């Protein structure tokens, strides 16, 4: 890279054409990763059914990816502050593809969960590094405009993924394994585009130290608590030695992680940045949005197939209203933020709309009219589009360029954590309510619940009467989990209202006289 190119990038003087050329590679990378991830949302009921998995395993196929993505996101962000952002983006997409191919060859749910966990390592890199690269090229004031493109690609991939997954599963000569294989050729194209278009200055340092201990403690602490969430009230009671051991162990590990992060030279989650008001409130808001984005896609796809009996392709089509809401709201909000330079009004509006959308979905049952479901999903999508990317932008506006990786990945970390916890909790609640409902209905019918096969998601092998019981149980239980989501989203509203209003800066880096205290 030439010195002139570095200077222009550092001072935010890239032309619109140069930015769009570089952005094309980044958005293609994001599309491949997100589409490869969401492609399983409509295919997963069929996959788990063929592999004879349970509802708990269904949840963990999703949670495993989110967990490793969450744990590795801050590491990717810290590495991007020290090494080549371009090389790291390419590495993350390669890891994601390897995990995808491994998932395609799995023979049971345990192998699938392990492959998806490896896949999540690359996903964490893509999610964090695309944001970091964009922040390194474009000033915050102009970034709202390009964040609209980012939101549009996110919405498009989220629509294309479920639709493509449904079509693949419904095409007999392909089979569900191609849900994982199909992303490989597009990833190769994405890598070629990145090699040609992405040129960012590399900030090298000789005293590099990565906090592997802190990252390990964070991953271990979160994992222990999520495992407890998945099995409590099923395999063991709420008040039991297992609960005290797992919750106590998880809290202790996270406390040790906090202690380590406060003392190491290069923490993966810099506590001074987290304690900054805007970042702290954005983190709280991101937890709510993460639950919306991941929980909605995962459990609505299952609701349409298991609860309502639609095919995977039909389920993908029925989820379009939510993705259309994300696409439109993120694009419009991005342009308006660039024009006004103000971001708080859009974040506040987005979180309020999100609560309204969840309230609408909380009354779902197995007979709810499709027009009503589509309307409520569109409202949720609008809320996500107005708030998700803009929470990251609000944080990026407060930090210097040399801390942009750590700050961006910290918000992405907590958003993924929110999604991971959300999917785990909602999945556990759904599994418990479905199990209780099936047991009650079958007992009333005089059928032994334990011999019905209702604990699996393979409905094809069940008698028609049992299928009806299972579908009704899933349809009626889904509304309850969105009532929980609504309560969490209210916290996001409070956090958004408490954020300090500020104008977006027009430079890529902070002026020297406005460097925050933690930037030293």
């Amino acid at each position: 890279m030439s010195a002139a190119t570095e200077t222009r990038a550092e001072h935010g003087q890239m032309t619109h054409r140069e930015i769009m050329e570089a952005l094309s590679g980044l958005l293609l990378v994001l599309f491949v990763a997100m589409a490869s991830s969401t492609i399983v949302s409509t295919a997963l009921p069929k996959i788990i059914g063929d592999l004879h998995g349970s509802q708990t395993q269904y949840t963990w196929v999703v949670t495993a990816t989110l967990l490793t993505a969450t744990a590795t996101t801050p590491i990717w962000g810290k590495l991007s502050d020290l090494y080549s952002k371009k090389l790291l983006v390419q590495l993350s997409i390669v890891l994601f593809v390897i995990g995808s191919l491994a998932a395609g060859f799995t023979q049971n749910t345990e192998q699938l969960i392990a492959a998806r966990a490896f896949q999540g390592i690359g996903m964490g890199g893509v999610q964090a590094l695309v944001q970091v690269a964009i922040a390194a090229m474009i000033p915050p004031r102009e970034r709202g405009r390009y964040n609209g493109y980012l939101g549009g690609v996110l919405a498009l991939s989220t629509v294309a993924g479920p639709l493509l997954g449904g079509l693949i599963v419904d095409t007999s000569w392909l089979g569900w394994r191609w849900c994982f294989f199909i992303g490989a050729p597009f990833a190769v194209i994405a890598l070629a585009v990145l090699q040609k278009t992405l040129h960012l200055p590399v900030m090298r340092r000789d005293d590099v130290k990565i906090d592997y201990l802190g990252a390990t403690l964070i991953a271990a602490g979160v994992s222990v608590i999520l495992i407890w969430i998945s099995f409590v009230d099923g395999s063991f009671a709420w008040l039991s030695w297992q609960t005290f051991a797992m919750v106590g162990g998880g809290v202790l590990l996270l406390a040790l992680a906090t202690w380590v992060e406060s003392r190491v030279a290069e923490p993966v989650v810099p506590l001074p940045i987290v304690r900054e008001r805007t970042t702290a409130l954005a983190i709280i808001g991101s937890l709510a949005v993460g639950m919306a984005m991941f929980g909605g896609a995962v459990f609505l796809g299952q609701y349409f197939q298991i609860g309502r009996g639609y095919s995977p392709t039909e389920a993908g089509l029925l989820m379009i209203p939510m993705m259309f809401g994300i696409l439109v709201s993120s694009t419009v909000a991005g342009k308006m933020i660039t024009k006004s330079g103000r971001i708080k009004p859009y974040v506040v509006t987005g979180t309020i709309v999100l609560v309204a959308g969840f309230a609408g979905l909380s009354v779902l049952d197995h007979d709810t009219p499709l027009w009503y479901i589509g309307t409520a999903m569109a409202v949720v999508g609008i809320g996500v589009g107005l708030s998700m990317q803009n929470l990251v932008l609000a944080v990026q506006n407060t930090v210097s360029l040399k801390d942009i990786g750590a700050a961006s990945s910290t918000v992405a970390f907590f958003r993924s954590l929110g999604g991971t916890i959300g999917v785990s909790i909602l999945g556990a609640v759904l599994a418990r309510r479905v199990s209780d409902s099936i047991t009650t209905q079958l007992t009333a019918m005089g059928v032994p619940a334990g011999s019905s096969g209702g604990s699996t998601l393979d409905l094809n092998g069940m008698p028609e009467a049992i299928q009806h019981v299972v579908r009704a149980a899933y349809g009626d239980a889904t509304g309850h989990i969105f009532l929980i989501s609504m309560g969490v989203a209210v916290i996001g509203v409070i956090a958004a209202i408490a954020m300090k209003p500020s104008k977006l800066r027009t430079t890529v880096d902070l002026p020297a006289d406005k460097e925050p205290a933690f930037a030293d």
Side-chain angles (χ1 to χ4, degrees):
M1 185 188 307
S2 68
T5 303
E6 289 190 17
T7 302
R8 293 216 314 261
E10 290 171 356
H11 294 283
Q13 296 178 357
M14 294 176 67
T15 66
H16 177 68
R17 178 178 178 177
E18 291 172 331
I19 290 174
M20 290 304 299
E21 287 176 350
L23 198 61
S24 65
L26 292 170
L27 295 183
L28 185 56
V29 166
L30 185 65
F31 179 83
V32 170
M34 296 304 295
S36 297
S37 176
T38 59
I39 200 172
V40 302
S41 61
T42 51
L44 201 51
K46 173 67 174 176
I47 296 171
I48 297 299
D50 286 352
L51 296 177
H52 306 292
S54 64
Q55 175 63 45
T56 298
Q57 290 171 322
Y58 181 105
T59 301
W60 268 98
V61 169
V62 179
T63 303
T65 308
L66 293 177
L67 179 60
T68 52
T70 300
T72 57
T73 291
I75 299 177
W76 287 111
K78 172 56 68 174
L79 289 173
S80 73
D81 286 336
L82 307 175
Y83 299 111
S84 168
K85 298 175 178 61
K86 175 179 178 177
L87 181 61
L88 290 170
V89 171
Q90 293 174 314
L91 176 60
S92 66
I93 195 66
V94 168
L95 292 177
F96 187 88
V97 171
I98 292 174
S100 299
L101 295 176
F105 287 108
T106 55
Q107 301 299 313
N108 53 54
T109 51
E110 290 78 11
Q111 293 177 5
L112 181 59
I113 291 170
R116 292 279 290 172
F118 184 85
Q119 189 180 41
I121 298 174
M123 180 192 293
V126 171
Q127 289 178 339
L129 296 171
V130 168
Q131 299 271 10
V132 170
I134 291 175
M137 294 189 300
I138 309 167
R141 179 66 177 266
E142 294 296 320
R143 208 173 299 151
R145 170 188 181 184
Y146 295 98
N147 270 351
Y149 299 135
L150 195 65
V153 168
L154 178 63
L156 180 61
S157 64
T158 313
V159 172
L163 278 174
L164 188 58
L167 288 171
I168 291 173
V169 169
D170 288 338
T171 303
S172 59
W173 52 272
L174 284 176
W176 59 262
R177 295 183 187 279
W178 276 95
C179 290
F180 302 104
F181 295 149
I182 198 170
F186 295 100
V188 173
I189 296 173
L191 289 174
V193 172
L194 275 174
Q195 183 63 31
K196 183 177 180 180
T197 63
L198 184 60
H199 305 291
L200 295 172
V202 179
M203 302 174 65
R204 298 190 181 279
R205 289 169 46 185
D206 297 327
D207 58 341
V208 174
K209 294 180 180 179
I210 304 299
D211 178 25
Y212 295 110
L213 176 59
T216 301
L217 290 171
I218 292 172
V222 172
S223 299
V224 170
I225 292 177
L226 290 178
I227 293 171
W228 169 75
I229 290 172
S230 297
F231 293 103
V232 70
D233 202 28
S235 301
F236 49 83
W238 287 91
L239 295 178
S240 62
W241 71 265
Q242 292 96 331
T243 291
F244 289 110
M246 297 179 77
V247 174
V251 171
L252 177 61
L253 287 169
L254 293 176
L256 287 173
T258 303
W259 181 82
V260 170
E261 296 298 271
S262 67
R263 282 162 173 76
V264 296
E266 299 284 353
V268 290
V269 180
L271 297 183
I273 293 180
V274 174
R275 287 195 295 264
E276 201 275 333
R277 175 177 172 178
T278 298
T279 306
L281 294 172
I283 285 170
I284 296 173
S286 294
L287 289 169
V289 175
M291 180 176 288
M293 184 172 63
F294 295 109
V298 171
F299 295 110
L300 282 171
Q302 187 179 25
Y303 166 80
F304 285 127
Q305 292 181 66
I306 305 297
R308 300 298 292 266
Y310 290 103
S311 70
T313 302
E314 291 169 335
L317 291 170
L318 288 169
M319 292 177 66
I320 286 180
M322 184 167 73
M323 311 317 163
F324 184 75
I326 296 175
L327 174 62
V328 173
S329 61
S330 63
T331 303
V332 173
K335 293 182 178 180
M336 295 180 70
I337 288 171
T338 294
K339 181 179 294 185
S340 67
R342 300 189 181 278
I343 195 169
K344 179 178 177 178
Y346 300 95
V347 176
V348 172
T349 302
T351 53
I352 293 174
V353 171
L354 193 59
V355 171
F358 278 141
L361 291 175
S362 67
V363 299
L364 288 188
D365 58 31
H366 67 284
D367 289 324
T368 304
L370 291 180
W371 67 264
Y372 175 87
I373 300 174
T375 302
M377 288 169 60
V379 173
V380 169
I382 292 171
V384 172
L386 287 174
S387 54
M388 181 174 60
Q389 299 299 331
N390 294 329
L391 286 166
V392 179
L393 179 57
V395 173
Q396 291 174 341
N397 189 56
T398 66
V399 300
S400 61
L401 181 59
K402 69 185 182 69
D403 291 314
I404 205 76
S408 302
S409 62
T410 296
V411 178
F413 167 79
F414 283 101
R415 185 176 66 205
S416 295
L417 180 61
T420 307
I421 294 174
V423 170
S424 297
I425 293 177
L426 297 181
V429 171
L430 180 66
R432 189 63 179 174
R433 289 183 69 87
V434 165
S435 177
D436 291 345
S437 177
I438 291 175
T439 300
T440 301
Q441 293 183 64
L442 292 182
T443 300
M445 295 168 58
V447 178
S451 61
S452 67
S455 61
T456 75
L457 300 182
D458 185 9
L459 271 63
N460 294 328
M462 301 179 187
E464 185 175 348
I466 304 299
Q467 286 188 31
H468 177 75
V469 168
V470 174
R471 293 193 189 282
Y474 273 94
D476 296 344
T478 302
H480 184 75
I481 67 175
F482 287 112
L483 181 63
I484 298 174
S485 298
M486 183 185 71
V488 175
V490 170
I491 300 174
V493 175
I494 297 172
I497 293 174
M499 290 178 67
K500 183 179 179 180
S502 61
K503 292 276 286 187
L504 296 179
R505 67 176 188 257
T506 58
T507 58
V508 173
D509 204 355
L510 282 174
D513 59 342
K514 294 185 179 180
E515 287 280 330
F518 53 77
D520 293 331

